[in-house]
Amino acid sequence: MLNFELDSFPKINATNNHLKKLSLTKNKLASLPESISNLEALEEFYSDNPLPEIPESFSKLKNLKLVGLHSVQLSEFPKVCRTRLHRQFRL
C-alpha cells in the first residue's frame, strides 16, 4: 500500500494466512488496528508513518522476521514485543 496517502488502516475482520509482506510506506497512518494480528502469515512489515504506538496484538505475529519502522514516533515499543525480540534475538 504505497503512497495512497491513507490516514487510517481498515480493521482486518478475518484471519489471513497468505499475506507475507506488508509495506505501508508514504501514507499518513496515525494508528494500526488491533486486528493486525489476523495477518498470521506475515513475515515482513514496513512502515514510515507517524505511528505513536504499535498495538499489543502485533506481538501475536509469530512468523514476523523483518520489521522496518521508519519515521515512527513511538514513545515505547510494546513490552510483549520486546520480550519476544529478546528471546528470538537475545538482545
Side-chain angles (χ1 to χ4, degrees):
M1 303 184 105
L2 176 65
N3 203 20
F4 286 103
E5 296 191 14
L6 298 174
D7 57 7
S8 65
F9 192 82
K11 181 178 178 184
I12 303 162
N13 293 318
T15 300
N16 182 309
N17 293 311
H18 303 286
L19 185 68
K20 293 188 181 223
K21 181 179 179 180
L22 180 59
S23 181
L24 300 173
T25 57
K26 298 186 181 175
N27 289 287
K28 298 176 181 177
L29 298 173
S31 67
L32 295 173
E34 286 289 331
S35 61
I36 191 109
S37 61
N38 285 338
L39 301 177
E40 293 181 351
L42 198 65
E43 294 177 357
E44 298 179 33
F45 176 81
Y46 303 96
S47 175
D48 67 352
N49 294 277
L51 299 170
E53 63 183 20
I54 300 292
E56 287 289 333
S57 64
F58 198 78
S59 65
K60 296 178 183 176
L61 298 172
K62 303 297 181 195
N63 293 310
L64 201 58
K65 295 176 181 148
L66 293 173
V67 177
L69 299 173
H70 305 281
S71 302
V72 297
Q73 301 171 357
L74 297 177
S75 59
E76 182 178 12
F77 204 67
K79 182 178 180 181
V80 176
C81 295
R82 283 195 319 262
T83 302
R84 185 167 166 242
L85 285 173
H86 277 278
R87 273 191 238 127
Q88 186 174 357
F89 299 107
R90 294 185 177 96
L91 297 175

